[in-house]
Amino acid sequence: MSAPLLTSLAEPDGDRPDALTVAGRSCSREALLGAAGAVAARIAGAPVVAVRATPTVETVTAVVGALLAGVPVVPVPPDSGPAERDHILRDSTAALLLTGPQGEEDAGGREASAAPAAPVETVPVDLAERAAWTGPEPDPKATAFILYTSGTTGAPKGALISRRAVAADLDALAEAWAWTAEDTLVHGLPLFHVHGLVLGVLGALRTGSRLVHTGRPAPAAYAAAGGSLYFGVPTVWHRVAQDPDAARALSAARLLVSGSAPLPAPVFRDLELLTGHRPVERYGMTETLITLSTRADGERRPGYVGTPLSGIRTRVAAEEGAEIGELQLTGPTLFDGYLGRPEATAGSYTDDGWFRTGDIAAIEPDGFHRIVGRASTDLIKSGGYRIGAGEVENALLDHPAVREAAVVGAPHEDLGQQIVAYVVADGVSEAELIDFVAGQLSVHKRPRKVRFLDALPRNAMGKPQKKLLPPA
Ligand code: MLC
Ligand code: AMP
């Protein structure tokens, strides 16, 4: 039998009552294992299971149950509207949707009981149920997660993440950050992406560290949690740095870690001034998991994401004479392709088998990596969320009043980029269009600004020229 993915769940000292806290509710590892065992027994044999990923103990239990049973998990953002949710459920062919208690209104803001249009059976997770799961440890090559992630155009694609990729990544991060069972990990990130779910939940369950999930990533909640290891996206660290009392409370921590988007140098410096910590910055992608990081025992430099994690090799595909170019990677943490999209999968690799990140980077002589930007401006990062311009444009075009739409990411101090939509439309307001996108897709994919134009700038071929759009 291979080593279990969630190592710490098999250890004997599982009765600590606050091993796991999510949004104020705590449980022991023993209780988590028992409730997850009941989930595993209910779903064993299913080809795939969707989980409505609210920030709750139920979500953690659902994910752990599926991992015990070897059923691939498809996390569904709890605030996703019908268009996005239906796409995820249909594309993944999930026939079961694990949720919190039925009727629960949660932090996602939508009714948990809202009947999904895709043909799925909703299965509420009951934390009081217990079962001892005795099934064998699934094959490390098996899929752990199908994570839906946006490309530049079209609907999100399901990235297939294997159990062994997760294990390799978590072990490499534990090594780089000296992350052990002595740590208390604190964060409040969404449980449907790599950052909050894979690192932020499975990382704690593999290393054996306590986990405090704050429900939302609010500075005051981070300050109150008293952790040793903190995760945040740059927007969260910007908000912490704007709240000096909360920031100072983090002085007692061991390590502050930023990722999912570039950490601005002024935020790095403010955090250092207020907390005494130079934050660790790490870089990753849904398709590759985390691949580069500065280290607990190494130098941390503003603007740099450090060196490759154990097992990862990187190269920069620069033009002759240039220092910057596309960052390409190989290693054990890479995904197994996009579900049902062999062409997109093939297109994300070079002919000699390296993964093309689409990020532009430079590697200094000392091996430190700097991410300069993205090759395509149609992939937006806002608040650490990856959002495809095409997906938002399609949602806008579904509105009967909208004739043309072009979406861009405009620089924004807090969010990194904010989504700005340029539309040609009649008889509709900015607020209506923002709410329309928030209602169809996830709330974080909504434009923050809408500009009305008489026509989109186009080239002679009729293609919209986003570079010629007026300033936001
Ligand atoms: C606002 N709201 C609306 C609305 N406008 N609801 C419906 N319709 C509208 N028009 C509500 C929201 O539901 C929410 O309610 C509240 O307003 C605030 O929402 P927001 O404005 O979107 O939140 P904001 O403050 O902008 O969020 C900032 C943030 C968030 C940092 C909290 O962006 C975030 O959690 N980012 C993390 C992204 C992440 O984890 N990325 C990792 C990807 S993995 P309510 O009730 O909910 O408050 C990856 C790999 C790697 O990248 O390297 O890590
Ligand atoms: P996602 O697939 O949502 O995980 O988004 C991955 C993208 O986030 C990468 O391709 C980068 O563009 C960006 N990203 C993640 N971490 C960093 C970082 N530390 N610095 C700059 N960009 C980052």
Side-chain angles (χ1 to χ4, degrees):
M1 194 177 103
S2 52
L5 177 58
L6 305 176
T7 333
S8 77
L9 287 181
E11 284 165 10
D13 59 340
D15 54 356
R16 186 180 170 152
D18 60 353
L20 171 78
T21 301
V22 185
R25 287 158 71 218
S26 297
C27 73
S28 66
R29 285 176 201 280
E30 210 170 69
L32 173 63
L33 190 58
V39 170
R42 279 180 86 164
I43 65 168
V48 54
V49 66
V51 174
R52 189 168 180 279
T54 53
T56 56
V57 179
E58 280 83 358
T59 293
V60 175
T61 305
V63 169
V64 171
L67 291 173
L68 288 175
V71 178
V73 178
V74 183
V76 180
D79 68 347
S80 56
E84 184 168 328
R85 191 182 49 214
D86 277 11
H87 167 69
I88 293 174
L89 293 175
R90 285 179 202 282
D91 191 76
S92 66
T93 69
L96 294 174
L97 175 66
L98 296 170
T99 67
Q102 224 148 23
E104 175 200 59
E105 173 88 44
D106 57 61
R110 287 175 204 253
E111 283 287 331
S113 57
V120 289
E121 182 193 340
T122 301
V123 180
V125 171
D126 182 351
L127 297 179
E129 270 182 43
R130 293 279 189 280
W133 176 253
T134 54
E137 177 71 13
D139 186 342
K141 293 196 288 298
T143 300
F145 294 105
I146 306 173
L147 297 180
Y148 276 81
T149 190
S150 300
T152 51
T153 57
K157 300 187 283 288
L160 299 164
I161 312 293
S162 70
R163 302 170 73 94
R164 64 180 174 186
V166 170
D169 207 47
L170 295 177
D171 291 348
L173 289 172
E175 194 264 327
W177 298 343
W179 182 3
T180 70
E182 301 300 310
D183 277 306
T184 294
L185 170 65
V186 177
H187 72 93
L189 297 168
L191 298 186
F192 46 87
H193 282 311
V194 164
H195 199 163
L197 180 60
V198 179
L199 274 61
V201 173
L202 300 196
L205 297 178
R206 191 164 171 87
T207 59
S209 67
R210 269 183 74 217
L211 169 63
V212 179
H213 187 286
T214 56
R216 304 265 313 171
Y222 274 37
S228 63
L229 177 62
Y230 281 83
F231 291 172
V233 296
T235 302
V236 170
W237 291 123
H238 177 248
R239 292 177 186 184
V240 168
Q242 299 288 306
D243 185 339
D245 288 340
R248 281 189 209 99
L250 304 189
S251 306
R254 186 175 69 78
L255 217 59
L256 311 183
V257 183
S258 179
S260 305
L263 183 69
V267 179
F268 184 111
R269 295 198 185 95
D270 288 348
L271 280 179
E272 184 177 14
L273 277 173
L274 290 164
T275 68
H277 291 291
R278 290 168 78 80
V280 160
E281 186 167 2
R282 94 297 178 290
Y283 161 89
M285 281 185 86
T286 304
E287 291 88 337
T288 65
L289 305 182
I290 309 310
T291 49
L292 292 161
S293 184
T294 54
R295 301 175 56 89
D297 62 0
E299 192 198 347
R300 302 165 209 167
R301 217 182 283 167
Y304 286 84
V305 293
T307 52
L309 292 176
S310 173
I312 303 291
R313 288 193 300 148
T314 61
R315 70 184 187 192
V316 160
E319 304 271 311
E320 187 76 31
E323 281 172 8
I324 63 168
E326 186 185 40
L327 179 67
Q328 300 176 351
L329 302 161
T330 64
T333 66
L334 265 58
F335 75 150
D336 293 325
Y338 299 109
L339 178 68
R341 287 176 173 77
E343 281 174 19
T345 303
S348 62
Y349 284 91
T350 63
D351 290 344
D352 59 346
W354 289 63
F355 180 77
R356 306 186 54 177
T357 64
D359 288 306
I360 306 299
I363 307 178
E364 300 295 327
D366 65 0
F368 258 48
H369 289 55
R370 181 164 58 91
I371 308 297
V372 180
R374 277 207 70 86
S376 169
T377 52
D378 282 339
L379 217 48
I380 299 165
K381 265 273 157 160
S382 185
Y385 285 116
R386 168 170 156 185
I387 301 142
E391 189 187 0
V392 183
E393 287 159 4
N394 288 341
L396 286 163
L397 290 168
D398 279 342
H399 192 286
V402 175
R403 281 182 278 134
E404 297 178 39
V407 165
V408 301
H412 189 271
E413 197 195 7
D414 182 49
L415 296 170
Q417 290 183 299
Q418 71 170 354
I419 302 177
V420 179
Y422 294 84
V423 298
V424 180
D426 299 307
V428 66
S429 71
E430 177 176 29
E432 280 173 290
L433 288 181
I434 292 173
D435 286 347
F436 182 74
V437 176
Q440 290 297 306
L441 307 177
S442 295
V443 169
H444 65 261
K445 293 182 179 173
R446 73 190 187 279
R448 305 280 171 140
K449 278 188 184 176
V450 179
R451 291 279 173 267
F452 294 89
L453 301 178
D454 293 333
L456 294 184
R458 292 180 184 272
N459 65 12
M461 311 293 290
K463 195 172 174 294
Q465 297 294 286
K466 292 192 179 179
K467 283 198 187 89
L468 300 180
L469 288 165

